[in-house]
Amino acid sequence: QSRVYGRDRVKFMESLVVGDIAELKPDQGTLTLLTNEKGGIVDDLIVTNTSEEHLYVVSNAGCADKDLAIMKDRVKELQAAGSDVHLEVMDNALLALQGPSMARVLQAGLSNDLGKLSFMNSATMTVFGVPGCRVTRCGYTGEDGVEISVPAARAVELVERLLGDPEVWLAGLAARDSLRLEAGLCLYGNDIDETTTPVEASLVWTLGKRRRTAMDFPGAAVIMAQIKEKPKRRRPPREAPMGAGGGGVRPRSARCAPAVPGTVTSGCPSPSLRKNIAMGYVEAAYGRAGTALAVEVRKQQHPALVTKMPFVPTHYYMAK
């Protein structure tokens, strides 16, 4: 987590990412992509335009070091050119509270009305007696939920307080992975990386309209050319019936059958649908919903069907 200060903070952020940061309202955030000059995705970030005169940026933990190096280098470049921008790395922990009971559980510890906080919006508040927490209504699960940025010294205290409610459980990475896959959300390092463009990954919606016209983000020439000419490969979701023995379609252990070149990047049994689901890349002509494919798992072929995303309807909260 980091904060970006200075009158040129938006200029700084838009020199790195594809999103329209300038259009964000106070305390509104967006998922955006940090790209390289080849159009590849260096990381996916959440950037919030806070009402406290700074941008709040959340990187993937696994990409934090490389993201920070890129951000620091750009700050130096802009400062040398006379821009007013400053970067502060935060020492906060980040907790995610997700699911249909979230609002009831969290509201008990807030003076603020959580019902006024819409998806991808945030506010600084006291949470169960811990002041200075930024609560953002988001979370990579497809469910209604929040991410809570909390001073690290009081993170355990807040977790234990939340776990005092019988409806709150600790969730491991496997549960989080199945949820985000059911919601059709990419995982960095699996479904997207520095060799994948936003167009190939079906993430064109992250490109702001103004940014497309200005073409002022890293890799713009490559990305805009792909939008115009269509990419040679794209990411479709797919679902497959349970194979013999109920084995899941998992990344790196499965691939599309030879007749349709492609690769599975994420896959697992879906607890909600009770069938295997997966995401991956195939030649663009085979990426349309309804296309029948075959997935090879341990040298055995299993039928698969390209479907629309998400696999399971999402439950993001929009305040009335």
Side-chain angles (χ1 to χ4, degrees):
Q1 301 169 69
S2 57
R3 298 187 181 103
V4 185
Y5 294 91
R7 65 176 179 272
D8 295 313
R9 59 188 180 273
V10 171
K11 172 186 174 182
F12 158 78
M13 206 70 234
E14 290 191 348
S15 73
L16 298 174
V17 302
V18 302
D20 192 338
I21 308 304
E23 76 168 0
L24 294 175
K25 298 175 181 179
D27 292 320
Q28 182 184 24
T30 185
L31 177 72
T32 190
L33 305 174
L34 177 64
T35 50
N36 59 31
E37 293 301 332
K38 294 182 179 179
I41 301 170
V42 177
D43 196 10
D44 55 322
L45 315 171
I46 292 181
V47 178
T48 300
N49 177 29
T50 75
S51 57
E52 300 160 3
E53 298 190 343
H54 68 265
L55 299 177
Y56 169 56
V57 183
V58 180
S59 303
N60 278 301
C63 298
D65 291 341
K66 70 173 181 179
D67 290 359
L68 189 57
I70 291 170
M71 293 171 74
K72 285 182 174 179
D73 286 345
R74 187 57 53 88
V75 164
K76 290 178 181 178
E77 290 176 10
L78 291 178
Q79 287 177 341
S83 295
D84 177 27
V85 60
H86 307 278
L87 180 66
E88 173 191 295
V89 180
M90 300 170 64
D91 186 32
N92 280 20
L94 193 64
L95 311 178
L97 183 66
Q98 305 282 300
S101 298
M102 179 280 297
R104 181 197 63 76
V105 170
L106 193 61
Q107 187 61 70
L110 303 178
S111 56
N112 305 59
D113 182 2
L114 197 60
K116 296 180 179 180
L117 196 67
S118 286
F119 178 61
M120 293 308 296
N121 285 262
S122 72
T124 299
M125 58 186 78
T126 297
V127 181
F128 286 105
V130 181
C133 296
R134 176 164 288 278
V135 177
T136 306
R137 200 145 195 169
C138 70
Y140 223 57
T141 63
E143 297 298 316
D144 183 24
V146 294
E147 290 188 345
I148 307 170
S149 178
V150 54
R154 303 194 68 176
V156 172
E157 172 190 341
L158 181 54
V159 169
E160 290 178 341
R161 178 65 182 80
L162 291 169
L163 287 173
D165 190 298
E167 290 190 39
V168 179
W169 293 69
L170 291 174
L173 290 177
R176 189 261 196 179
D177 194 47
S178 65
L179 282 165
R180 68 92 192 167
L181 185 52
E182 289 180 341
L185 302 172
C186 294
L187 178 64
Y188 193 85
N190 279 43
D191 310 300
I192 52 176
D193 57 29
E194 294 189 36
T195 68
T196 311
T197 71
V199 186
E200 293 169 333
S202 299
L203 294 173
V204 174
W205 61 268
T206 62
L207 277 68
K209 183 177 180 181
R210 175 179 60 84
R211 305 302 308 283
R212 297 189 197 196
T213 301
M215 291 183 63
D216 57 353
F217 51 86
V222 175
I223 292 168
M224 295 309 297
Q226 283 191 345
I227 291 176
K228 183 179 180 180
E229 300 166 5
K230 306 301 181 184
K232 294 180 180 179
R233 64 168 189 156
R234 66 186 297 268
R235 174 180 65 94
R238 61 177 66 85
E239 61 181 3
M242 288 296 229
V249 181
R250 298 187 178 277
R252 299 185 183 87
S253 65
R255 63 187 180 89
C256 292
V260 181
T263 305
V264 174
T265 55
S266 285
C268 69
S270 165
S272 301
L273 300 177
R274 298 185 181 278
K275 64 175 68 175
N276 289 332
I277 58 174
M279 289 195 296
Y281 290 85
V282 296
E283 291 182 3
Y286 298 95
R288 296 184 181 89
T291 302
L293 300 174
V295 178
E296 188 174 285
V297 182
R298 291 185 287 276
K299 298 183 179 181
Q300 292 187 359
Q301 292 191 16
H302 301 271
L305 182 69
V306 177
T307 67
K308 292 183 178 180
M309 287 192 288
F311 292 105
V312 176
T314 56
H315 298 100
Y316 303 129
Y317 174 80
M318 305 305 296
K320 296 180 181 179

